[in-house]
Coordinates of all heavy atoms in Angstrom, one line a residue:
Y66 N 0.8 -1.2 0.0 CA 0.0 0.0 0.0 C 0.9 1.2 0.0 O 2.0 1.2 0.4 CB -0.9 0.0 1.2 CG -2.0 -1.0 1.2 CD1 -1.7 -2.3 1.7 CD2 -3.2 -0.8 0.6 CE1 -2.7 -3.3 1.6 CE2 -4.2 -1.8 0.6 CZ -3.9 -3.0 1.1 OH -4.9 -4.0 1.0
D67 N 0.3 2.3 -0.5 CA 1.1 3.6 -0.6 C 0.6 4.6 0.5 O -0.6 4.7 0.8 CB 0.9 4.2 -2.0 CG 1.5 3.4 -3.1 OD1 2.7 3.0 -2.9 OD2 0.9 3.2 -4.1
Y68 N 1.6 5.3 1.0 CA 1.3 6.4 2.0 C 2.0 7.6 1.5 O 3.1 7.6 1.1 CB 1.8 5.9 3.4 CG 1.2 4.7 3.9 CD1 1.6 3.4 3.5 CD2 0.2 4.7 4.9 CE1 1.0 2.2 3.9 CE2 -0.4 3.6 5.3 CZ 0.0 2.3 4.9 OH -0.6 1.2 5.3
K69 N 1.3 8.7 1.6 CA 1.8 10.0 1.0 C 1.5 11.1 2.0 O 0.7 11.0 2.9 CB 1.3 10.2 -0.3 CG -0.2 10.4 -0.4 CD -0.7 10.6 -1.8 CE -2.3 10.8 -1.8 NZ -2.8 11.0 -3.2
G70 N 2.1 12.3 1.7 CA 1.8 13.5 2.4 C 2.3 13.4 3.9 O 1.6 14.0 4.8
V71 N 3.3 12.6 4.2 CA 3.8 12.6 5.6 C 4.3 14.0 6.0 O 5.1 14.6 5.3 CB 5.0 11.6 5.7 CG1 5.5 11.6 7.1 CG2 4.5 10.2 5.3
K72 N 3.8 14.5 7.0 CA 4.1 15.9 7.4 C 4.2 16.0 9.0 O 3.3 15.6 9.7 CB 3.0 16.8 6.9 CG 3.2 18.3 7.3 CD 2.1 19.1 6.8 CE 2.3 20.6 7.3 NZ 1.1 21.4 6.8
A73 N 5.3 16.5 9.4 CA 5.5 16.8 10.8 C 4.6 17.9 11.3 O 4.5 18.9 10.6 CB 7.0 17.1 11.1
L74 N 3.9 17.7 12.4 CA 3.1 18.8 13.0 C 3.8 19.4 14.2 O 4.8 19.0 14.6 CB 1.7 18.1 13.4 CG 0.9 17.4 12.4 CD1 -0.3 16.8 13.0 CD2 0.6 18.3 11.2
A75 N 3.2 20.5 14.7 CA 3.8 21.2 15.8 C 3.9 20.3 17.0 O 3.0 19.4 17.2 CB 2.9 22.4 16.2
D76 N 5.0 20.4 17.7 CA 5.2 19.6 18.9 C 4.1 19.8 19.9 O 3.9 20.9 20.3 CB 6.6 20.0 19.5 CG 7.0 19.1 20.7 OD1 6.1 18.4 21.2 OD2 8.2 19.1 21.0
P77 N 3.4 18.7 20.3 CA 2.3 18.9 21.3 C 2.8 19.4 22.7 O 2.1 19.8 23.5 CB 1.7 17.5 21.4 CG 2.2 16.8 20.2 CD 3.5 17.4 19.9
D78 N 4.1 19.3 22.9 CA 4.8 19.6 24.2 C 4.1 18.9 25.4 O 3.7 19.5 26.3 CB 4.7 21.2 24.3 CG 5.6 21.7 25.4 OD1 6.6 21.0 25.8 OD2 5.3 22.7 26.0
L79 N 4.1 17.6 25.3 CA 3.5 16.8 26.3 C 4.6 15.8 26.9 O 5.5 15.5 26.2 CB 2.4 16.0 25.8 CG 1.2 16.7 25.3 CD1 0.2 15.8 24.5 CD2 0.4 17.4 26.4
G80 N 4.4 15.4 28.1 CA 5.3 14.4 28.7 C 6.7 15.0 28.8 O 7.0 16.2 28.9
N81 N 7.7 14.0 28.7 CA 9.1 14.4 28.7 C 9.5 15.0 27.3 O 10.3 15.9 27.2 CB 10.0 13.2 29.0 CG 9.8 12.8 30.5 OD1 9.3 11.6 30.7 ND2 10.0 13.6 31.4
E82 N 8.9 14.4 26.3 CA 9.0 14.9 24.9 C 8.0 14.2 24.0 O 7.4 13.2 24.4 CB 10.4 14.6 24.4 CG 10.8 13.1 24.4 CD 12.2 12.8 23.9 OE1 12.7 13.6 23.1 OE2 12.8 11.9 24.3
S83 N 7.7 14.9 22.9 CA 6.6 14.3 22.1 C 6.8 14.7 20.6 O 7.5 15.7 20.3 CB 5.3 14.9 22.6 OG 5.3 16.3 22.7
V84 N 6.1 14.0 19.7 CA 6.1 14.3 18.3 C 4.7 14.1 17.8 O 3.9 13.3 18.3 CB 7.1 13.4 17.5 CG1 8.5 13.7 17.9 CG2 6.8 12.0 17.7
A85 N 4.4 14.8 16.7 CA 3.1 14.6 16.1 C 3.2 14.8 14.6 O 4.1 15.5 14.1 CB 2.1 15.7 16.6
Y86 N 2.5 14.0 13.8 CA 2.6 14.0 12.4 C 1.3 13.5 11.8 O 0.5 12.9 12.5 CB 3.8 13.3 11.9 CG 3.8 11.8 12.3 CD1 3.4 10.8 11.4 CD2 4.4 11.4 13.5 CE1 3.4 9.5 11.8 CE2 4.4 10.1 13.9 CZ 4.0 9.1 13.0 OH 4.0 7.8 13.4
R87 N 1.1 13.7 10.5 CA 0.0 13.1 9.7 C 0.4 12.6 8.4 O 1.5 12.9 7.9 CB -1.1 14.1 9.6 CG -0.8 15.4 8.8 CD -2.0 16.2 8.6 NE -2.9 15.6 7.7 CZ -4.2 15.9 7.5 NH1 -4.7 17.0 8.2 NH2 -5.0 15.3 6.7
M88 N -0.5 11.9 7.7 CA -0.2 11.3 6.4 C -1.5 11.0 5.8 O -2.6 11.1 6.4 CB 0.7 10.1 6.5 CG 0.0 8.9 7.1 SD 1.1 7.5 7.3 CE 2.0 8.0 8.7
V89 N -1.5 10.5 4.5 CA -2.7 10.0 3.9 C -2.4 8.6 3.4 O -1.4 8.3 2.6 CB -3.1 10.8 2.7 CG1 -4.3 10.2 1.9 CG2 -3.4 12.3 3.1
A90 N -3.2 7.6 3.8 CA -3.0 6.2 3.4 C -4.0 5.9 2.3 O -5.2 6.2 2.3 CB -3.3 5.3 4.6
S91 N -3.5 5.2 1.2 CA -4.3 4.7 0.1 C -4.7 3.3 0.4 O -3.9 2.4 0.3 CB -3.5 4.8 -1.2 OG -3.2 6.1 -1.5
I92 N -6.0 3.1 0.8 CA -6.5 1.8 1.3 C -7.6 1.3 0.4 O -8.7 2.0 0.4 CB -6.9 1.8 2.7 CG1 -5.7 2.3 3.6 CG2 -7.4 0.5 3.2 CD1 -6.0 2.4 5.1
E93 N -7.4 0.3 -0.4 CA -8.5 -0.2 -1.3 C -9.2 0.9 -2.1 O -10.4 0.9 -2.2 CB -9.5 -1.0 -0.4 CG -8.9 -2.1 0.4 CD -8.3 -3.2 -0.4 OE1 -8.6 -3.3 -1.6 OE2 -7.4 -3.9 0.1
G94 N -8.4 1.8 -2.6 CA -8.9 2.9 -3.4 C -9.4 4.1 -2.7 O -9.7 5.1 -3.3
A95 N -9.5 4.0 -1.3 CA -9.9 5.1 -0.5 C -8.7 5.9 0.0 O -7.6 5.3 0.4 CB -10.7 4.6 0.6
Q96 N -8.8 7.2 0.0 CA -7.7 8.0 0.6 C -8.1 8.4 2.1 O -9.0 9.1 2.3 CB -7.6 9.3 -0.2 CG -7.3 9.1 -1.7 CD -6.0 8.3 -1.9 OE1 -4.9 8.7 -1.5 NE2 -6.1 7.2 -2.6
V97 N -7.3 7.8 3.0 CA -7.7 7.9 4.4 C -6.6 8.7 5.1 O -5.5 8.2 5.3 CB -7.8 6.5 5.1 CG1 -8.2 6.6 6.5 CG2 -8.8 5.6 4.3
P98 N -6.9 9.9 5.6 CA -5.9 10.7 6.3 C -5.8 10.1 7.8 O -6.8 9.7 8.4 CB -6.5 12.1 6.4 CG -8.0 11.9 6.0 CD -8.1 10.6 5.3

């Protein structure tokens, strides 16, 4: 399967350290963010 549009988001600034990001998954013809 293909995944596109991987993008780092603003640090949520939680816990000791954190990361956030998003992408779009191509699943059985559907584009699922």
Side-chain angles (χ1 to χ4, degrees):
Y66 292 86
D67 293 313
Y68 299 79
K69 61 184 180 180
V71 179
K72 179 182 178 181
L74 302 177
D76 186 343
D78 194 24
L79 296 169
N81 296 117
E82 56 181 333
S83 53
V84 295
Y86 58 96
R87 63 171 294 166
M88 70 183 77
V89 177
S91 297
I92 302 175
E93 302 299 337
Q96 303 300 302
V97 183

